[in-house]
Amino acid sequence: MSSSEYHSGQDLDPLTRLNVIGAIERLLPELKEALTLRVRVLKMLRVIQPVGRRALAEKVGLSERVLRGVVEELQKAGLIVVMRQGMLVTEAGEEVLDALEPLYARYAGLSVWEDRLKERLGLRHVLIVAGHPTDDTVTLSALGHEAAQYLNEILKKYTRIAVAGGTTMAAMAAYFRPRKRYPQVTFYPARGGLGEEAAIQASAIAARLAEAAGAQYVLFQLPDQLDKEMSEELRHDPYVAERLSEMRKAEIVFHGIGDALTMARRRRTPEALVERLKNAQAVSEAFGAYYNEAGELVFQVKTLGLSLDDLKQKRCVAVAGGKTKARAILSLAKTGLFDVLITDQGAAQAILEATDKTQPPDDSDRSQ
């Protein structure tokens, strides 16, 4: 499924859909502004609910007076409820958001951004979360929700799905609400653990996704990073060999993208090696592999899990956002490791600006 399919609707053929939207816009020219505003509020509310009016106004960048009017209309339509603990999106609100995604994507310019980013990075699909949140928690929630929606869609096609660990993948699991049960699907961890809290380990995330979908799952609860001798020894252990063999059955892999130095410290890398990564100008990290800005491998940690060779045989979905991740996304995209990207407008804008320096002028870029 392409990003254009995901963000453009599939019930109408393209020509009919454009004619209908064009006719509505001519009849109600004020629709674009009103719809964009209300959907933006509703989407933000969905990722930070329950929340009060003042906090929501700050997150969407509106005055409390303007937000009050939007909230009243949403409440009147039964799309939200206002409770003591704050506002919540109703089931009807969720359905409306899904139904309006094609129109919102058009009005917010997301489809144009996605196509441009897909071309610049040489990817198969790109999905962009609207907005430029400065709050990391909001960015994480929005990305997690978008990734969960994409996972819902690909369950129609894939039955063996691997997932890496980390906070972004944990956010995806938190927002994963399958529309039906999938007993034929199996979720696999893509790697061992990094010695962090249990909730963000790959095995825990795979189990949580499987439980939500009524699917099967495989656990792999060994450390991801071991010294070379121990790693080689464990690979010959019957239990480990069996688990690695099962993990390689995955058809599609979901993973995050790490900033190289941040990930090195998360892996408790010795300071001498951190300095080596700095000197090599490492920018991005995934699955224990560190790359520079040109996408060249500068260092690789021996890990237990899917190898880079394994990943090259599969469809990989990278989920990462925020302007600070732009360089890492651009670096890893040059490796060809992933062909689907889920990101946000902040990262997308930074990547496009960076790649503009090596692209011929494009008038449409300046109009966005």
Side-chain angles (χ1 to χ4, degrees):
M1 181 189 65
S2 70
S3 62
S4 59
E5 287 171 337
Y6 178 72
H7 270 164
S8 301
Q10 302 177 54
D11 295 334
L12 299 175
D13 66 81
L15 184 58
T16 301
R17 183 166 56 244
L18 289 174
N19 286 341
V20 170
I21 293 174
I24 292 173
E25 290 171 343
R26 291 188 66 181
L27 181 64
L28 298 168
E30 71 276 14
L31 174 67
K32 178 177 179 178
E33 183 177 351
L35 183 141
T36 303
L37 176 61
R38 293 182 190 183
V39 172
R40 180 158 63 95
V41 170
L42 202 54
K43 284 170 77 74
M44 180 61 74
L45 175 55
R46 181 168 62 180
V47 300
I48 63 174
Q49 63 185 336
V51 64
R53 188 180 296 161
R54 177 176 298 177
L56 182 59
E58 290 176 357
K59 295 297 184 185
V60 293
L62 296 174
S63 68
E64 285 192 61
R65 182 185 62 80
V66 172
L67 182 69
R68 186 183 303 114
V70 175
V71 166
E72 288 174 357
E73 292 300 325
L74 294 175
Q75 188 176 11
K76 191 185 304 180
L79 305 183
I80 68 171
V81 291
V82 180
M83 305 180 71
R84 181 176 299 176
Q85 68 267 37
M87 295 175 285
L88 297 165
V89 178
T90 65
E91 186 175 343
E94 294 280 0
E95 292 173 354
V96 164
L97 278 175
D98 289 343
L100 288 178
E101 190 65 48
L103 204 53
Y104 181 70
R106 172 187 170 96
Y107 288 161
L110 295 183
S111 298
V112 174
W113 283 54
E114 288 167 350
D115 289 343
R116 193 173 298 151
L117 200 58
K118 180 172 66 175
E119 181 182 357
R120 296 281 178 88
L121 299 183
L123 300 177
R124 182 183 177 91
H125 310 313
V126 172
L127 295 173
I128 298 176
V129 176
H132 299 73
T134 55
D135 186 324
D136 288 343
T137 302
V138 174
T139 300
L140 191 64
S141 297
L143 288 172
H145 197 283
E146 191 79 5
Q149 285 186 297
Y150 184 75
L151 176 57
N152 257 323
E153 293 298 329
I154 62 99
L155 283 173
K156 301 170 184 175
K157 181 177 180 181
Y158 298 97
T159 59
R160 298 191 294 274
I161 302 163
V163 60
T167 54
T168 306
M169 294 297 97
M172 178 178 76
Y175 286 103
F176 184 49
R177 302 287 188 273
R179 300 182 181 96
K180 63 177 185 178
R181 311 291 280 178
Y182 292 91
Q184 78 280 13
V185 171
T186 302
F187 286 91
Y188 305 85
R191 68 183 198 201
L194 282 181
E196 302 169 312
E197 59 181 284
I200 63 173
Q201 302 295 332
S203 280
I205 294 169
R208 188 171 181 180
L209 291 169
E211 288 165 4
Q216 304 172 62
Y217 62 92
V218 170
L219 293 179
F220 189 66
Q221 296 175 310
L222 289 173
D224 177 58
Q225 186 174 330
L226 298 168
D227 63 56
K228 185 177 180 180
E229 184 178 341
M230 184 174 289
S231 178
E232 288 301 322
E233 184 177 336
L234 280 174
R235 287 177 186 277
H236 293 92
D237 178 87
Y239 167 83
V240 175
E242 180 183 0
R243 287 295 182 269
L244 290 174
S245 177
E246 290 176 329
M247 290 158 65
R248 292 189 185 104
K249 295 176 183 177
E251 304 158 295
I252 186 167
V253 181
F254 284 76
H255 64 88
I257 296 176
D259 169 79
L261 298 183
T262 301
M263 286 303 301
R265 292 194 169 91
R266 276 181 59 188
R267 289 178 177 274
R268 298 180 174 85
T269 304
E271 196 58 37
L273 182 51
V274 173
E275 286 301 316
R276 178 177 168 183
L277 292 172
K278 287 181 181 178
N279 293 335
Q281 298 182 320
V283 172
S284 63
E285 185 276 344
F287 296 92
Y290 294 84
Y291 300 90
N292 63 18
E293 202 151 5
E296 299 166 336
L297 182 66
V298 296
F299 186 77
Q300 185 170 2
V301 177
K302 196 70 175 177
T303 61
L304 283 177
L306 294 177
S307 69
L308 295 179
D309 287 338
D310 292 330
L311 294 168
K312 290 174 183 176
Q313 309 303 315
K314 307 179 186 303
R315 167 138 303 156
C316 290
V317 181
V319 187
K323 286 190 175 183
T324 58
K325 282 286 183 75
R327 290 181 69 218
I329 294 170
L330 186 53
S331 163
L332 202 65
K334 293 174 181 176
T335 71
L337 183 66
F338 63 91
D339 60 357
V340 178
L341 173 65
I342 299 176
T343 190
D344 64 3
Q345 277 186 279
Q349 181 178 358
I351 292 170
L352 289 171
E353 288 174 353
T355 55
D356 274 343
K357 298 173 184 177
T358 59
Q359 296 287 328
D362 183 346
D363 292 339
S364 63
D365 282 355
R366 292 191 290 271
S367 67
Q368 296 302 317

